[in-house]
Amino acid sequence: MARSTPRGRTGAARAATVKDVADAAGVSIATVSRVVNGAPRVAEETKSKILKAVEDLNYVPHTGARSLVTRKHDLIGVLLPDIHGEFFSEIVRGVDEAARRRGLHILVSNITGDANEDARVVSALRGRVGGLLIMAPDEGPDPLATRLPADLPVVLMNTRGGGGRAALMIDNHAGALAAMAHLAATGRRRVAHIAGPGRNIDASERLRGYRDGLAACFGGAAPMILPGDFCQTSGFAAGRAIAAMATEDRPDAVFAANDMMAVGCALALSEAGIRIPQDIALAGFDDIPLAGLVRPALTTVRLRMAEFGRRALARLAGCMDDPDSACLEIEAMRPELVVRDSCGARAAPSGEEAQPLAL
Amino acid sequence: MARSTPRGRTGAARAATVKDVADAAGVSIATVSRVVNGAPRVAEETKSKILKAVEDLNYVPHTGARSLVTRKHDLIGVLLPDIHGEFFSEIVRGVDEAARRRGLHILVSNITGDANEDARVVSALRGRVGGLLIMAPDEGPDPLATRLPADLPVVLMNTRGGGGRAALMIDNHAGALAAMAHLAATGRRRVAHIAGPGRNIDASERLRGYRDGLAACFGGAAPMILPGDFCQTSGFAAGRAIAAMATEDRPDAVFAANDMMAVGCALALSEAGIRIPQDIALAGFDDIPLAGLVRPALTTVRLRMAEFGRRALARLAGCMDDPDSACLEIEAMRPELVVRDSCGARAAPSGEEAQPLAL
DNA sequence: CTGAAAGCGCTTACAG
DNA sequence: CTGAAAGCGCTTACAG
């Protein structure tokens, strides 16, 4: 007795299989498989019979069974650090979009930065995913990358020490350099830097850009580095420290390793009556939404994270299709300077001073 | 010839299987399976031999093959709307955490709000996931929920018209009511509302809370509703509109349907020289990070989205374990009022007025 | 153009 | 406590 929704003994619906479709269409399961997978050389009439049965039975192939025989997985593991909530959704959106275009799905998990814990996560993903996208900006050169299963295509995103793996980097150094060059071009002479957490690759590359910018655009001026941790609070503290300096020691510009700290710094400076940008120009990094909302809006460096995710997935898909292709290349994505009025030249209209700083 | 890393002809590594492990340990594949799955009644010695082989060969079970025979999937589909970038990462974090504790993995995908497109996404997930977590606050009562495959456990998150499905809601109405009550308690008499997009369930529930709050705490005062779309710009426009009113017509409080609009509104009000909270008190919804950064900090309503995600997954896991359990229940999570100084009572120290509003 | 058959890697009664 | 065997749903040469 044929039933359109076959049921098991418990009453829970059982999903239709190739067999069900084959029976309903009066063909063999081989032919059903061919049609479902879009193989050529199937009679038009047969095809439509099968398609109808698929529709009627609401048939969806069991992907596990399929991957068992094809030895392929259409699942991509995406491992992102716990902290990057800020960019998390944009990256995931980009990856998902690119994946869907290729008929792939993404399996998302957080990694902690603890190498053992993270290795366990990766291991749990093997035998389940066809490839891995990993972003671990806080890890040292050793841990994750070197422990990855050799048989798994991997693209590292903005992660240190690829160990010969394909990698897509953010060119933080170039971005920082651009910010420094802009500060120099608008007439600033002495730029302080609010650094990010030391082990973070973004932070250290931005710091390196700051130092090189000093050499390249500020005649090798001495660095002035304030510690920070990417959080608003640490930027605020740095701003306080700057405000506490004797006027002649104060920098006339601050380049913060990210926007959150730049905002914190701006808050502290303005509380101390220091004018932005007249007294101190301010530049950040990331172009978070807030950067455009504060007044004066933040000059910053922007990276399109969704595009970053799309590209990373494209790379990975390439590696999966052709494992012998150039999967070892390291590619970098260049961020873009976004100039806003927090970086205005010193010669601002004097009328502006009366305006309250609306941060 | 035994090899610890078996390779196929192309040189690509082939993953070890139960067979490989069984051979290496000198036992049958049945026993390997038992050990790997932690079955009882296996001799200690046998177990350790097998565990060693698993370790040596770096064996990980093929989950597809496993799910083929167990008829279970350890994958959970998580469908989130494109827009909710703000909360995306927090929800995903919570779901992932709860999933990992249960040995589950999550498959994340964006949904668009287009019912056909979304139904396709759901359909692609069948035969691959053991359950679905869906958040579709922008869909009408009909589309997704009613088209879900009957055989798939589903928990709807903050989504209309569950069609008898399990649901976890955000009690936006209660949150809005709390905000209104607070405004009344601090002495406000006339509260305007900046509404969110009409079709969004959060927006409409918050609006309903506003109306009911008017009835309950403001003696049934007439509503004053300004349109908005959850974006900062629309809040700004609403603020402009309020500033343009004759002073005697102006509200002395604004309850915005979300924080982004509240910030935009504050910006416009302060540009017009209207003082917050002295002239107009301001309350938002969501407690985004920015809410605590603006000055005066925003009074708002907070929901712990990670906790929301954790709970949703727990519900789903329950449905998956026992399909006959109370899977139809609708549960609501109550948000919490966060009082900050944007809602200060009118009797503020007069010295404060001199301070620039640092938004 | 279509079908019968083998086999992917795994788990699970069933014997013993 | 352990093994031989069947079978989960699917794809893919191999025939025809």
Side-chain angles (χ1 to χ4, degrees):
Chain A
M1 175 179 129
R3 277 185 292 200
S4 63
T5 308
R7 289 179 171 272
R9 61 175 50 169
T10 68
R14 187 180 62 88
T17 70
V18 260
K19 183 76 170 51
D20 298 319
V21 176
D23 289 352
V27 298
S28 75
I29 60 167
T31 305
V32 171
S33 175
R34 289 194 190 97
V35 169
V36 168
N37 293 295
R41 252 177 277 276
V42 177
E44 226 23 83
E45 193 193 354
T46 312
K47 188 188 285 186
S48 61
K49 261 192 314 188
I50 293 177
L51 255 20
K52 173 158 185 341
V54 164
E55 179 80 7
D56 288 350
L57 299 179
N58 206 349
Y59 169 70
V60 174
H62 186 292
T63 49
R66 175 182 279 170
S67 92
L68 190 55
V69 25
T70 60
R71 298 173 163 289
K72 292 198 169 196
H73 296 268
D74 60 354
L75 234 46
I76 304 290
V78 181
L79 268 27
L80 298 173
D82 224 13
I83 331 93
H84 276 59
E86 199 53 69
F87 309 108
F88 193 103
S89 83
E90 230 195 316
I91 295 179
V92 171
R93 191 190 325 292
V95 173
D96 183 48
E97 188 191 309
R100 210 180 287 186
R101 268 204 304 265
R102 292 171 172 79
L104 301 171
H105 293 267
I106 64 176
L107 201 157
V108 171
S109 208
N110 284 307
I111 50 174
T112 61
D114 175 272
N116 285 320
E117 163 94 24
D118 292 347
R120 212 169 305 128
V121 172
V122 169
S123 152
L125 256 37
R126 269 188 53 210
R128 173 190 313 270
V129 299
L132 233 40
L133 243 33
I134 302 180
M135 176 148 119
D138 296 313
E139 306 233 15
D142 155 65
L144 248 193
T146 53
R147 299 203 203 177
L148 294 171
D151 53 348
L152 202 59
V154 172
V155 171
L156 262 18
M157 303 188 292
N158 210 31
T159 299
R160 275 195 195 85
R165 294 294 188 155
L168 187 56
M169 307 298 286
I170 295 171
D171 196 342
N172 283 296
H173 181 261
L177 224 44
M180 292 296 285
H182 180 73
L183 288 169
T186 52
R188 306 295 161 167
R189 310 293 344 136
R190 189 161 152 67
V191 185
H193 180 59
I194 310 180
R199 53 198 299 238
N200 182 278
I201 189 172
D202 299 298
S204 52
E205 284 297 285
R206 289 166 195 184
L207 173 58
R208 196 165 66 81
Y210 165 71
R211 289 184 187 280
D212 290 351
L214 243 30
C217 317
F218 292 87
M224 173 173 173
I225 299 168
L226 297 131
D229 63 3
F230 276 162
C231 290
Q232 197 255 351
T233 318
S234 66
F236 190 85
R240 279 266 167 91
I242 290 169
M245 291 176 176
T247 317
E248 64 271 22
D249 294 339
R250 257 188 223 148
D252 60 358
V254 173
F255 168 47
N258 78 350
D259 288 342
M260 278 314 289
M261 297 195 296
V263 169
C265 179
L267 225 44
L269 294 182
S270 80
E271 276 190 14
I274 295 172
R275 298 163 310 167
I276 302 171
Q278 295 89 334
D279 300 326
I280 296 187
L282 210 53
F285 212 113
D286 289 344
D287 197 32
I288 62 176
L290 181 53
L293 292 181
V294 297
R295 293 288 171 274
L298 222 49
T299 286
T300 184
V301 183
R302 169 200 299 160
L303 187 69
R304 310 279 310 120
M305 293 310 286
E307 173 63 18
F308 188 73
R310 258 179 250 123
R311 281 215 217 169
L313 186 108
R315 281 292 298 281
L316 183 60
C319 294
M320 286 166 59
D321 288 346
D322 178 9
D324 301 321
S325 73
C327 282
L328 314 181
E329 261 172 58
I330 297 181
E331 188 186 343
M333 216 173 119
R334 187 81 171 262
E336 157 199 9
L337 186 68
V338 180
V339 177
R340 301 210 184 91
D341 44 11
S342 67
C343 241
R346 208 178 302 258
S350 63
E352 246 182 67
E353 301 176 21
Q355 251 191 15
L357 172 74
L359 248 195
Chain B
M1 176 180 124
R3 277 186 292 200
S4 65
T5 309
R7 288 179 171 273
R9 60 174 51 166
T10 67
R14 185 180 64 88
T17 71
V18 261
K19 184 77 171 52
D20 297 319
V21 176
D23 289 352
V27 297
S28 76
I29 61 168
T31 305
V32 171
S33 175
R34 288 196 191 96
V35 169
V36 168
N37 293 295
R41 254 178 274 275
V42 178
E44 232 14 90
E45 192 193 356
T46 313
K47 189 188 285 185
S48 61
K49 261 193 314 191
I50 292 177
L51 255 21
K52 174 159 184 340
V54 164
E55 179 81 6
D56 288 350
L57 299 178
N58 206 349
Y59 169 69
V60 174
H62 187 292
T63 49
R66 176 181 281 172
S67 93
L68 191 54
V69 26
T70 61
R71 298 173 163 290
K72 293 199 167 197
H73 296 268
D74 60 354
L75 234 46
I76 304 291
V78 180
L79 268 28
L80 297 173
D82 223 15
I83 331 94
H84 275 60
E86 201 51 68
F87 309 108
F88 194 101
S89 84
E90 229 195 315
I91 295 178
V92 171
R93 189 188 327 293
V95 173
D96 183 47
E97 188 190 309
R100 210 182 287 185
R101 267 205 303 267
R102 292 171 172 78
L104 301 170
H105 293 267
I106 64 177
L107 201 157
V108 172
S109 208
N110 285 306
I111 51 174
T112 60
D114 175 90
N116 285 320
E117 164 93 24
D118 292 347
R120 213 171 303 128
V121 172
V122 168
S123 152
L125 256 37
R126 268 190 53 210
R128 171 191 315 268
V129 300
L132 233 41
L133 242 33
I134 303 181
M135 176 149 120
D138 296 313
E139 306 233 16
D142 155 64
L144 248 192
T146 52
R147 299 203 203 176
L148 294 171
D151 53 348
L152 203 57
V154 172
V155 171
L156 262 19
M157 304 188 291
N158 210 31
T159 299
R160 273 195 197 85
R165 292 296 189 156
L168 188 55
M169 307 298 285
I170 295 171
D171 195 343
N172 284 295
H173 181 261
L177 224 42
M180 292 296 284
H182 181 73
L183 288 168
T186 52
R188 306 294 160 169
R189 307 297 343 141
R190 190 162 151 69
V191 186
H193 180 61
I194 310 179
R199 54 198 297 240
N200 182 279
I201 188 172
D202 299 298
S204 53
E205 284 297 284
R206 290 167 195 183
L207 173 58
R208 196 165 65 82
Y210 165 73
R211 288 183 186 281
D212 290 351
L214 242 30
C217 316
F218 292 87
M224 173 174 174
I225 298 168
L226 298 132
D229 62 3
F230 278 161
C231 289
Q232 197 255 349
T233 317
S234 66
F236 189 86
R240 279 263 169 92
I242 290 170
M245 292 176 176
T247 318
E248 64 273 20
D249 293 339
R250 256 187 225 151
D252 61 358
V254 174
F255 168 47
N258 77 350
D259 288 343
M260 280 311 291
M261 296 195 296
V263 169
C265 178
L267 225 45
L269 293 183
S270 80
E271 276 190 13
I274 295 172
R275 298 162 311 167
I276 303 170
Q278 294 89 334
D279 299 327
I280 296 186
L282 209 55
F285 213 112
D286 289 345
D287 197 31
I288 62 176
L290 181 54
L293 293 182
V294 296
R295 291 289 170 273
L298 222 49
T299 286
T300 183
V301 182
R302 169 202 297 160
L303 187 70
R304 310 279 312 116
M305 293 311 283
E307 173 64 19
F308 188 74
R310 257 178 252 124
R311 279 214 218 171
L313 187 107
R315 280 294 297 281
L316 184 60
C319 293
M320 287 167 59
D321 288 346
D322 177 10
D324 301 321
S325 74
C327 282
L328 313 181
E329 261 171 58
I330 297 181
E331 188 186 343
M333 215 172 119
R334 187 80 172 261
E336 155 199 12
L337 186 69
V338 180
V339 176
R340 299 209 186 92
D341 44 10
S342 68
C343 241
R346 207 179 302 259
S350 64
E352 246 183 66
E353 301 177 19
Q355 253 193 11
L357 173 74
L359 246 198

